[in-house]
Amino acid sequence: MKYAAKIFFIVLCMSLNSCIGFLGKQIDEKSSRYRKTPFGIVFASFDEASTDKWLKDVDEATFEVLSESDARDKNRYWHYGTEITGANPKTLVFIDIDLAKDDKTIFDQYEGMEWRKWTCGVDVKTAELVVSEPAGFIYSYLRDKNAIYYLNTRLEADPATFRQFTVIGGIFVDSHNAFFNGEIVDCIDVPTMILCENGEDFEDKNNFYKYDGDFKYKESEGIIHLPYTIIPKQE
């Protein structure tokens, strides 16, 4: 009777998606969070404020734990218990915190949402990070042999000259334009840009750009506000 009551309690918790992963048996010493239960494999949260993630359609015969966060079987790949849908589990590798690639394309994830497969035509064999963006930014630019990419978008940028300009502030440049969060910043005159010693502030022939850290989102424009106070130079 007690056993039946325990099973009923577990099933009830599963229906509520509550934190019961700790009841499962640890599968591999590489991770304490991937656990096997009578109801399937779960990525345990160990946190009352969070929920366990139950892995779907697992081929248990080929399932293997790769690290504390990652696991795969012959068909699927999971990162912190979330499936990277469509990824090749045999070739998938991470190139940044929220960026991964397999032998066919790039995948990204934003703020815990589902993983997205890129469709912008990036050449996976030559794709690499330009540089990881500084703290406060969520994505990085990618370069392949043909172009620069940002958030599944191919940019009008020269891959040969594209580079990070400010250490903090998220400003990147090529030979013609300045970029912030994948958008061209028209007000900046690239040929006359000079970076200050602090790696944040800079100037061009028209303005001083003082880093203010204001990343407020502009809904009307659909972009994040340039985190600089622009001070016109006196003529």
Side-chain angles (χ1 to χ4, degrees):
M1 187 69 178
K2 290 183 178 179
Y3 178 76
K6 182 177 181 180
I7 293 298
F8 175 77
F9 174 72
I10 292 174
V11 174
L12 177 63
C13 288
M14 285 186 64
S15 67
L16 297 174
N17 201 22
S18 302
C19 178
I20 65 167
F22 67 90
L23 296 175
K25 181 180 179 181
Q26 183 173 328
I27 296 174
D28 191 288
E29 63 181 8
K30 295 187 186 75
S31 176
S32 62
R33 302 182 70 177
Y34 284 101
R35 293 178 171 263
K36 187 173 183 179
T37 77
F39 314 100
I41 295 176
V42 63
F43 184 79
S45 69
F46 298 129
D47 183 356
E48 293 181 359
S50 301
T51 56
D52 297 330
K53 295 179 180 178
W54 294 88
L55 279 57
K56 297 180 180 179
D57 301 319
V58 180
D59 183 80
E60 295 192 13
T62 60
F63 184 81
E64 62 176 325
V65 176
L66 303 175
S67 65
E68 180 68 15
S69 59
D70 290 27
R72 68 183 177 186
D73 66 13
K74 68 177 183 178
N75 301 312
R76 295 173 174 79
Y77 194 106
W78 293 270
H79 183 62
Y80 287 101
T82 298
E83 182 182 350
I84 303 180
T85 304
N88 184 341
K90 296 179 181 179
T91 61
L92 190 75
V93 294
F94 281 81
I95 53 179
D96 205 2
I97 296 175
D98 293 319
L99 281 171
K101 71 175 183 177
D102 63 9
D103 56 315
K104 295 181 179 180
T105 192
I106 304 293
F107 298 84
D108 69 16
Q109 183 187 45
Y110 171 54
E111 292 187 349
M113 296 173 63
E114 296 296 318
W115 284 83
R116 172 180 60 173
K117 180 189 292 188
W118 282 25
T119 56
C120 56
V122 60
D123 180 73
V124 176
K125 291 183 179 180
T126 60
E128 61 181 3
L129 285 174
V130 175
V131 63
S132 292
E133 290 199 14
F137 289 80
I138 56 175
Y139 281 100
S140 300
Y141 293 91
L142 288 184
R143 172 193 284 118
D144 69 9
K145 64 180 181 178
N146 302 311
I148 299 295
Y149 304 86
Y150 190 80
L151 293 182
N152 194 25
T153 299
R154 180 169 175 157
L155 304 183
E156 294 297 324
D158 175 21
T161 60
F162 190 86
R163 63 185 177 89
Q164 183 181 15
F165 184 77
T166 58
V167 177
I168 296 175
I171 302 297
F172 286 70
V173 299
D174 68 4
S175 56
H176 301 290
N177 296 300
F179 297 82
F180 174 74
N181 274 23
E183 300 285 341
I184 293 176
V185 185
D186 293 325
C187 65
I188 297 176
D189 183 71
V190 172
T192 61
M193 290 175 71
I194 300 174
L195 183 65
C196 296
E197 292 184 2
N198 63 11
E200 303 174 357
D201 306 330
F202 62 95
E203 64 179 280
D204 63 16
K205 67 178 183 179
N206 300 311
N207 304 298
F208 293 103
Y209 301 83
K210 178 69 175 176
Y211 178 70
D212 58 24
D214 181 6
F215 299 99
K216 183 170 56 179
Y217 184 76
K218 283 187 174 181
E219 292 186 5
S220 61
E221 299 179 13
I223 61 173
I224 298 176
H225 171 64
L226 189 72
Y228 283 85
T229 298
I230 302 175
I231 306 171
K233 290 183 176 180
Q234 299 294 332
E235 297 183 1

